[in-house]
Amino acid sequence: KAGVTQTPRYLIKTRGQQVTLSCSPISGHRSVSWYQQTPGQGLQFLFEYFSETQRNKGNFPGRFSGRQFSNSRSEMNVSTLELGDSALYLCASSHWTDQETQYFGPGTRLLVL
Amino acid sequence: ELKVEQNPLFLSMQEGKNYTIYCNYSTTSDRLYWYRQDPGKSLESLFVLLSNGAVKQEGRLMASLDTKARLSTLHITAAVHDLSATYFCAPNLITQGGSEKLVFGKGTKLTVNP
């Protein structure tokens, strides 16, 4: 089956701008999670969506937001970008109640200048 | 708060040798995942361990879970260069609403030398 897709793959922004990242889960998966990976903090959970509802949120400021559409596709938005937001943003989809793993997309690499 | 400790963080091995990566976590977890990450790439799922005593093997990698000790191990048998990568363990936390959040260790960077 087709994997998790993320767009764009690379982004360069400047401080103060905002950015929207997109994630399309594996067909049939209704849960989408977002993670941020940086060299300093490692992999950190941002939020999880299921059936268009945010069910869980990590310890990130309100500048980080997301949403999920009826087709399970998800977007995350970061407003007022800071240099520290430079990271690899990974999206994962799962149908974990079927004892499957969480499948990760290729990620979006964001560089804030 | 669930804390995850992996060790070692860096591992340099010779081809053909065996070694074990350890993953300790601080609170009860429903399941535990192992992922592999190559430089500049995303996370590739290796194993999901669902219950105490679970053991899974794929090629030269074998993972086990001891939920009572809150310990998982990833054993590498007769290492080959292709296994060079960073390996992450991630137990999960489940909210009352059924949301699953993975809590990742810092990763073990494995280098297999000829």
Side-chain angles (χ1 to χ4, degrees):
Chain A
K1 52 187 173 184
V4 179
T5 58
Q6 291 185 246
T7 56
R9 295 291 311 278
Y10 304 92
L11 264 180
I12 300 175
K13 292 284 187 179
T14 56
R15 279 183 301 173
Q17 287 187 310
Q18 76 165 22
V19 67
T20 299
L21 313 181
S22 180
C23 170
S24 292
I26 291 171
S27 177
H29 287 189
R30 293 163 63 191
S31 171
V32 173
S33 299
W34 289 88
Y35 293 82
Q36 181 198 62
Q37 186 177 28
T38 60
Q41 300 299 316
L43 280 150
Q44 295 185 286
F45 173 81
L46 280 157
F47 24 65
E48 187 253 356
Y49 287 87
F50 183 87
S51 292
E52 302 180 66
T53 300
Q54 185 185 89
R55 295 197 299 182
N56 202 353
K57 190 177 192 311
N59 203 17
F60 280 81
R63 300 184 297 105
F64 291 82
S65 63
R67 59 178 174 166
Q68 187 180 34
F69 301 94
S70 58
N71 61 359
S72 294
R73 189 177 70 86
S74 177
E75 288 181 348
M76 67 163 280
N77 185 277
V78 188
S79 62
T80 319
L81 284 165
E82 300 177 0
L83 295 179
D85 297 333
S86 295
L88 179 65
Y89 290 89
L90 293 163
C91 162
S93 80
S94 71
H95 197 47
W96 75 276
T97 52
D98 286 349
Q99 301 182 355
E100 285 188 13
T101 189
Q102 286 203 18
Y103 296 92
F104 281 81
T108 294
R109 191 166 294 279
L110 172 65
L111 177 62
V112 182
L113 301 175
Chain B
E1 182 188 349
L2 175 57
K3 293 189 186 300
V4 182
E5 187 175 308
Q6 267 182 255
N7 66 83
L9 297 182
F10 298 92
L11 176 55
S12 183
M13 300 175 61
Q14 278 190 308
E15 280 191 329
K17 299 292 187 183
N18 305 333
Y19 207 82
T20 300
I21 298 170
Y22 297 88
C23 174
N24 290 91
Y25 54 100
S26 60
T27 65
T28 303
S29 177
D30 180 69
R31 63 183 64 183
L32 188 137
Y33 300 81
W34 282 96
Y35 287 92
R36 166 183 171 145
Q37 186 176 41
D38 291 294
K41 304 288 188 182
S42 185
L43 299 174
E44 174 191 351
S45 175
L46 295 174
F47 303 107
V48 52
L49 303 169
L50 300 173
S51 60
N52 188 44
V55 176
K56 289 196 175 179
Q57 181 161 9
E58 181 74 34
R60 300 174 189 275
L61 300 177
M62 183 174 71
S64 67
L65 179 63
D66 181 342
T67 57
K68 293 178 183 174
R70 295 177 190 153
L71 169 69
S72 181
T73 61
L74 181 66
H75 185 74
I76 303 153
T77 301
V80 293
H81 180 70
D82 284 353
L83 290 179
S84 296
T86 299
Y87 293 84
F88 292 94
C89 69
N92 70 348
L93 279 176
I94 304 292
T95 66
Q96 278 190 329
S99 172
E100 178 183 53
K101 158 185 164 180
L102 301 188
V103 181
F104 285 87
K106 291 187 183 298
T108 296
K109 184 173 182 180
L110 170 66
T111 304
V112 181
N113 303 303

